[in-house]
Amino acid sequence: MDNRVLVSVDDDIKKFSLCDEKEFPFKVERFLKKAMECLHFDREEISVLFCTDSFIQELNKNYRGIDSVTDVLSFENGEEYEDEDGAWICSGDIAISLETVLKNADYFKVEHNIELKRVLIHGLLHLNGFDHGEEHIEMGVSPSCEMLVLQEKILQEFADFDLWN
């Protein structure tokens, strides 16, 4: 299975110095390609933008009508295109607030690496047509909806994958 992942890091997020600026996008790309393979994406392209709380809040307000910060937003696309390598599906875009990911990691008492992988998988699942309704991950509560159960299963499969170091 061949897939494409485009990773961008907003200049404002670089001030956090959370990871090796040069290696981080490549690690995220490798992780997402493996997760996409696990989810049976094939010849699909996604883009991921790492941004600040204020940026994602503006996206959330403009596209969902919700004027608040969130950790991850997914924007499905589904358009097909062709290039010199053949036909591709543009699955969509994922925006992630690294500020909120760090806050969530502290709240859930997990490593930053785990929480970042969780939201990346979460975004992918949305692009793959999954929805979790009103259910969200809660500390000490096992999820019951199909999407969140699958998310946590995939997260466990990639437990050894480190995005930060």
Side-chain angles (χ1 to χ4, degrees):
M1 290 184 204
D2 194 21
N3 294 296
R4 292 179 174 168
V5 177
L6 310 168
V7 179
S8 301
V9 180
D10 187 300
D11 284 339
D12 289 339
I13 210 66
K14 291 177 183 176
K15 67 183 177 196
F16 288 100
S17 302
L18 301 171
C19 49
D20 182 323
E21 236 177 80
K22 292 179 181 176
E23 283 297 311
F24 181 68
F26 297 110
K27 288 181 178 185
V28 170
E29 178 184 353
R30 283 193 304 272
F31 172 76
L32 284 171
K33 282 185 174 183
K34 289 179 182 290
M36 289 170 78
E37 198 172 297
C38 182
L39 290 167
H40 308 291
F41 282 68
D42 189 22
R43 300 201 54 82
E44 297 187 46
E45 177 183 287
I46 66 165
S47 71
V48 179
L49 170 66
F50 290 98
C51 60
T52 61
D53 278 353
S54 59
F55 189 89
I56 208 164
Q57 181 173 356
E58 193 64 28
L59 287 175
N60 207 14
K61 181 180 172 183
N62 291 337
Y63 292 97
R64 297 181 63 223
I66 301 172
D67 190 9
S68 64
V69 174
T70 189
D71 50 5
V72 60
L73 291 173
S74 297
F75 300 95
E76 291 181 65
N77 185 320
E79 290 186 22
E80 295 182 30
Y81 71 93
E82 283 194 42
D83 64 12
E84 63 276 356
D85 296 325
W88 296 88
I89 297 172
C90 181
S91 293
D93 307 307
I94 300 171
I96 295 175
S97 170
L98 278 182
E99 288 180 275
T100 297
V101 167
L102 296 176
K103 291 173 195 171
N104 287 354
D106 292 343
Y107 172 78
F108 288 117
K109 297 178 179 22
V110 298
E111 295 174 10
H112 296 155
N113 185 52
I114 293 170
E115 189 61 18
L116 179 56
K117 289 186 293 187
R118 178 178 284 122
V119 296
L120 285 165
I121 294 165
H122 190 89
L124 272 182
L125 287 168
H126 276 305
L127 293 182
N128 208 12
F130 284 88
D131 188 61
H132 52 88
E134 296 298 314
E135 186 176 344
H136 294 279
I137 294 294
E138 296 180 48
M139 193 166 26
V141 178
S142 295
S144 60
C145 77
E146 180 185 12
M147 178 184 172
L148 298 181
V149 168
L150 181 56
Q151 169 186 295
E152 296 305 297
K153 179 181 178 273
I154 294 168
L155 184 62
Q156 288 304 310
E157 288 178 26
F158 292 101
D160 294 334
F161 203 105
D162 189 356
L163 295 169
W164 294 109
N165 302 312

